Amino acid sequence: MRGFTGLGTQLEQLCSSGQHHIVLTAPFIKAPTLARLLDKVPDSARVQCITRWRPEEIVAGVSDLEVWPLIQKREQTSLWLRHDLHAKYYRADTKCMIGSANITDAALGWTRQPNLELLIELPYGEQFVQFEMSLLSRCIQVDQQIYEQIKEITQGLKEQGVINISPAQDVLELSFAVANVSLGDIDCWTPRLRHPEDLYLAYIGRLDRLSTASQQAALGDLASLPVPMGLDRKMFEGYIAMLLLQLPVIRQIDVFVEQPQKFIAVREFLGNLDCFKSPDFDAERAWQTLMRWLLYFLPKRYSLSQPINLEVFLKIGSN
């Protein structure tokens, strides 16, 4: 077990020891701290950096979007997002460190008033192999479009002064109870509201303009998506777009449609995902609804081509 001080030096030593594969995993990553660690990584090593990007946390300054330009500058280096990440996990080949420290100067002891943190060095065993497989199974790889999307949202939040995030579901809790909505499993989430342009009406409380079925669907979707209150339509729709890009089902669809796919092919792909293999799952309706959401909230990333008697869905941008 390592001591309580000098964690930054110990993590630098771990990074410098890796010759093949380095994994840096933390919810909060500051660009200067990451740059200091990457400087220690041998040129031969492949680096996977895994974090989470919540706009409110970026606005608050606990994480930096500027880590993306750093990642781009280094060969064999990639950045991944996982929406529910809390683990702090670092590996260089067969050496691991786990504990409480994020990739920030305060966590690693590089400030005058550092945090009290802990990192423990352990060998890379089967439990860590399984952990990494589980970790990456629900990650989405950052590309330039995802970076620009989240950058736009965070800048808008700064301009609107939206920093203290209050999830919409807290405000609408009574409505959810009345609507008898279940939050469900976010790993298997697909939208219920057939007309995505109506989601903002539910968000601002104009449920009277929606049918009963649309009210329940919209409230269920808002309950599953932690959107801050007080956003205008443009910011709200951008925030939804950012959340969609980080959800597991959308990530799998995103990879699948890198090559243009017919409607029926995507429908079958969706129906064959493990979390949807149940007799009552309507893959056609689910894909129809999800396709509308992707086209509405992410029009720069997805497109629908409609030759005679055919619908072809494709990804049009990422770099």
Side-chain angles (χ1 to χ4, degrees):
M1 174 174 151
R2 296 290 188 176
F4 294 92
T5 59
L7 295 185
T9 299
Q10 293 159 19
L11 194 51
E12 283 182 314
Q13 292 172 350
L14 183 79
C15 289
S16 65
S17 71
Q19 298 297 317
H20 304 290
H21 187 196
I22 292 174
V23 180
L24 303 174
T25 305
F28 302 154
I29 300 180
K30 299 290 286 183
T33 315
L34 179 63
R36 185 167 173 174
L37 294 177
L38 290 177
D39 283 343
K40 301 297 182 181
V41 175
D43 292 339
S44 62
R46 175 171 63 96
V47 179
Q48 285 181 295
C49 187
I50 304 163
T51 190
R52 77 181 188 217
W53 276 352
R54 296 179 181 175
E56 62 272 19
E57 293 174 344
I58 296 166
V59 171
V62 297
S63 279
D64 290 340
L65 291 179
E66 288 75 20
V67 301
W68 172 240
L70 288 176
I71 295 293
Q72 288 183 300
K73 290 178 182 178
R74 190 184 186 282
E75 295 183 359
Q76 300 189 84
T77 304
S78 57
L79 182 63
W80 302 76
L81 302 179
R82 176 154 176 164
H83 69 283
D84 60 349
L85 181 66
H86 286 267
K88 293 87 174 176
Y89 168 79
Y90 308 104
R91 176 172 71 84
D93 297 336
T94 59
K95 298 178 181 178
C96 298
M97 295 181 75
I98 61 172
S100 65
N102 284 289
I103 302 178
T104 68
D105 282 0
L108 297 182
W110 291 336
T111 61
R112 289 187 177 182
Q113 295 182 319
N115 301 339
L116 180 62
E117 305 279 4
L118 176 69
L119 287 176
I120 300 173
E121 187 172 312
L122 295 169
Y124 184 53
E126 180 62 26
Q127 72 273 31
F128 289 132
V129 174
Q130 295 299 320
F131 170 76
E132 284 189 26
M133 290 176 59
S134 176
L135 173 68
L136 289 168
S137 70
R138 298 176 185 174
C139 286
I140 183 167
Q141 186 170 359
V142 174
D143 56 35
Q144 187 64 24
Q145 192 177 84
I146 290 175
Y147 165 74
E148 294 291 347
Q149 183 85 43
I150 298 179
K151 182 179 179 181
E152 181 180 348
I153 293 303
T154 54
Q155 185 59 41
L157 290 176
K158 290 179 182 178
E159 292 173 356
Q160 288 194 19
V162 180
I163 297 179
N164 295 319
I165 299 301
S166 176
Q169 61 260 42
D170 289 346
V171 177
L172 296 174
E173 183 177 355
L174 179 60
S175 295
F176 294 162
V178 172
N180 193 27
V181 169
S182 173
L183 299 186
D185 183 354
I186 196 66
D187 291 336
C188 298
W189 179 86
T190 59
R192 308 182 202 182
L193 183 64
R194 299 281 285 174
H195 301 285
E197 65 275 13
D198 289 342
L199 190 65
Y200 186 71
L201 294 176
Y203 169 76
I204 62 175
R206 295 303 308 271
L207 297 172
D208 57 304
R209 296 177 58 179
L210 304 178
S211 68
T212 300
S214 292
Q215 288 178 21
Q216 291 188 342
L219 291 173
D221 291 331
L222 286 174
S224 299
L225 301 171
V227 185
M229 295 302 295
L231 303 181
D232 61 23
R233 180 181 280 273
K234 179 181 178 182
M235 288 302 304
F236 170 79
E237 293 181 349
Y239 202 102
I240 292 293
M242 179 275 301
L243 291 176
L244 290 175
L245 287 171
Q246 298 188 59
L247 294 177
V249 171
I250 282 74
R251 180 190 67 82
Q252 294 176 81
I253 294 291
D254 187 80
V255 173
F256 185 66
V257 300
E258 286 182 351
Q259 297 296 323
Q261 300 290 344
K262 297 178 182 179
F263 179 94
I264 189 172
V266 187
R267 181 195 69 190
E268 292 178 353
F269 175 81
L270 188 64
N272 286 327
L273 295 179
D274 288 340
C275 61
F276 295 131
K277 287 182 178 178
S278 63
D280 58 346
F281 178 69
D282 188 339
E284 178 154 349
R285 183 177 178 85
W287 172 232
Q288 284 177 345
T289 304
L290 179 55
M291 181 176 66
R292 292 178 182 182
W293 276 56
L294 296 179
L295 293 172
Y296 182 79
F297 290 113
L298 292 159
K300 295 180 181 179
R301 192 174 184 85
Y302 303 107
S303 178
L304 181 66
S305 174
Q306 295 180 294
I308 299 175
N309 298 324
L310 194 64
E311 288 184 327
V312 178
F313 190 82
L314 65 153
K315 183 172 159 182
I316 58 177
S318 61
N319 298 320

